[in-house]
DNA sequence: CGTTTGCTTGACAGCATTCAACGTTGGTGG
DNA sequence: CCACCAACGTTGAATGCTGTCAAGCAAACG
């Protein structure tokens, strides 16, 4: 950092890391790109931004300028309806994109809150549009990501529409577990970054119900729950909860 | 049509109608395009396809080749999970796009079934990719549509996660009403194209509960329900159901 | 005209919510 | 260092909404 920028907020002090030397390559926007392609992509990411725990990356109503790729940390997004109803619509971890909802109207339609100190890559949407017009692989990958989000939400609708409390929790944990594994973490021993309330909001359940479901699975020996520290003891039993009904 | 193709199935016998002279311009992919732009777009739509009532446009697992724009008629899409769970994920009417889920994996992940005799424009995805690379307005519009679908599903998640039966039905009817109005139909006198079972599946409710909710709103003078013929007598009351809780 | 499919209604059971109390954890300031 | 507080989490009892089961009705179809 140069002396002249010493007073700038910490978020601008990051080392320049580009897509081509990012360790999230396998998970993020540039999946499967070759090295020369990647170098053209380096101009895509404008800046980095650090968001402290419980800080907001954007909020509903903010003008949409960029999408964000989670580099480190953990986020939740939540939507609010006219009547003041509120619901967590997703949890995002490294390599996942945030802000796609804003493309629709030019304004963000949900809030994105960091559940731990986090860092994101800022991807100006105008530049993404431009680059993906001359770069078919990028275009395709971006479309895939948008489509994947649609499919993911179909899954959530299925969960909310047809599962009981324990089944919802099982689906939630299995999903989390699988995504952690894909990032090289243990899938069986996880630390939840969100409160029971946030889990409940996401799963369409009240806190007490979430807590009870945890306790039940704990008593049955499927999980070992100690606050936010969760160990999956019997993954098969979790899966059976989904398929068996 | 040339004599050589006379034996082709009826679905290929449509008159050639192009985007530039389609009456769904305001609702479909080419919103806000100018005439010269539209003419370049005419090459986008490959063919038309007719789907009879309860016929399938595509089903889960089918290779993804095209997206479809509803020209006339009415569709439902439904997703099935591993455990055999089944849920209607949406209803589509004129001007709305079908098949966006397939971009993600190259295979469709839900079924699309016509709820009445319908006709769709077949939009080969490869051509859409190509054209939207050289045609920024098309690119932007397509992204908007994908994003809008994400936002729509946020709304459904909110509905499924936090509303009670009557409120869900109210939200459903208001949404239907608004979309019909946008197409020049009455928003207060509507004929449902789907069964109670399909409504229930979409709203995460059993048939009996849907029926009871209809009856209750009918008895309260909010609706006039005669089978699938529904008249909205007190739209404000419907809205209050959403905001008031 | 009979059969099938869809719709409605009633009685009852079950699961999640609500309300309330208590336990735990982590941060703050005395 | 400890006490206190606030936020989070757990558990119990009672209520209520929705699901389930069952029966009857209405409309569509051949």
């Amino acid at each position: 950092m140069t002396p002249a920028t010493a007073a700038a907020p910490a978020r601008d002090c990051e080392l320049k890391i580009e897509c081509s030397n990012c360790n999230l390559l396998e998970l993020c926007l540039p999946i499967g790109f070759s090295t020369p392609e990647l170098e053209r992509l380096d101009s895509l990411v404008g800046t980095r931004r650090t968001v402290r725990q419980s800080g907001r990356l954007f909020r509903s109503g903010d003008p949409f300028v960029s999408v964000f790729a989670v580099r480190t940390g953990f986020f939740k997004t939540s939507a609010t309806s006219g009547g003041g109803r509120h619901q967590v619509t997703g949890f995002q971890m490294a390599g996942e994109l945030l802000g796609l909802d804003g493309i629709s109207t030019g304004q963000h339609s949900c809030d994105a809150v960091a559940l731990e100190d986090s860092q994101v890559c800022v991807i100006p949407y105008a530049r993404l549009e431009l680059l993906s017009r001359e770069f078919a692989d990028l275009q395709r990958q971006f479309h895939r990501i948008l489509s994947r989000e649609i499919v993911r939400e179909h899954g959530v609708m299925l969960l909310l529409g047809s599962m009981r409390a324990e089944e919802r929790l099982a689906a939630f944990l299995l999903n989390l577990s699988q995504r952690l594994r894909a990032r090289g973490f243990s899938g069986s021993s996880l630390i939840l970054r969100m409160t029971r309330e946030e889990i409940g909001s996401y799963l369409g359940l009240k806190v007490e119900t979430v807590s009870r479901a945890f306790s039940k699975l704990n008593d049955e020996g499927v999980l070992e729950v100690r606050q936010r520290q969760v160990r999956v003891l019997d993954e098969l039993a979790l899966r059976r909860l989904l398929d068996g009904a």
Side-chain angles (χ1 to χ4, degrees), chain A:
Chain A
M1 175 192 316
T2 68
T5 62
R11 55 184 238 198
D12 293 332
C13 298
E14 312 302 336
L15 271 174
K16 178 98 178 162
I17 303 178
E18 295 168 314
C19 288
S20 55
N21 58 13
C22 175
N23 59 1
L24 290 172
L25 249 168
E26 298 302 315
L27 296 161
C28 196
L29 197 52
I31 298 179
F33 287 14
S34 62
T35 309
E37 287 173 329
L38 278 172
E39 281 166 6
R40 296 189 60 197
L41 210 66
D42 285 340
S43 71
L44 186 57
V45 173
T47 56
R48 289 296 178 63
R49 189 167 147 195
T50 295
V51 186
R52 296 253 160 263
Q53 182 162 32
S54 58
R56 273 163 215 261
L57 180 57
F58 54 79
R59 63 185 68 211
S60 184
D62 283 357
F64 168 71
V65 180
S66 304
V67 298
F68 306 93
V70 179
R71 177 156 172 71
T72 63
F74 203 90
F75 284 84
K76 70 167 177 182
T77 49
S78 60
T80 306
S81 83
R85 270 179 240 269
H86 201 263
Q87 176 145 5
V88 172
T89 53
F91 298 104
Q92 295 80 21
M93 52 179 80
E96 296 175 336
L97 259 48
L98 278 160
L100 299 173
D101 58 284
I103 301 172
S104 163
T105 61
Q107 293 198 340
H108 287 287
S109 64
C110 60
D111 293 10
V113 177
L115 296 184
E116 62 183 23
D117 290 356
S118 303
Q119 200 178 74
V120 298
C121 299
V122 179
I123 304 174
Y125 179 61
R127 205 179 297 180
L128 177 57
E129 272 187 324
L130 200 68
L131 253 181
S132 76
R133 245 177 283 139
E134 59 181 62
F135 193 176
D137 282 344
L138 178 62
Q139 179 196 38
R140 173 160 308 184
Q141 185 57 26
F142 184 55
H143 287 175
R144 260 202 274 264
I145 287 173
L146 284 160
S147 175
R148 192 189 307 149
E149 179 66 9
I150 292 173
V151 174
R152 180 189 77 82
E153 294 187 358
H154 284 175
V156 178
M157 287 170 60
L158 231 137
L159 180 151
L160 291 171
S162 71
M163 293 188 189
R164 293 169 326 127
E166 260 178 80
E167 300 166 345
R168 295 186 198 191
L169 186 58
F172 170 71
L173 289 173
L174 285 171
N175 175 272
L176 220 53
S177 165
Q178 174 240 310
R179 284 154 71 201
L180 286 170
R181 235 191 290 269
R183 283 157 183 80
F185 297 105
S186 163
S188 59
S189 177
L190 38 131
I191 295 177
L192 302 175
R193 297 275 128 88
M194 67 293 280
T195 66
R196 300 286 194 265
E197 174 117 23
E198 287 160 339
I199 296 174
S201 174
Y202 181 61
L203 298 178
L205 301 170
K206 297 296 169 189
V207 198
E208 296 93 328
T209 308
V210 174
S211 183
R212 275 186 251 272
F214 268 119
S215 297
K216 180 132 182 283
L217 292 175
N218 181 69
D219 296 348
E220 292 172 351
V222 179
L223 302 177
E224 184 183 294
V225 185
R226 284 224 319 262
Q227 304 293 127
R228 300 199 184 179
Q229 171 84 253
V230 175
R231 183 181 293 273
V232 179
L233 302 176
D234 188 351
E235 184 173 329
L236 204 63
L238 282 186
R239 289 193 193 289
R240 269 197 301 269
L241 267 179
L242 304 190
D243 302 336

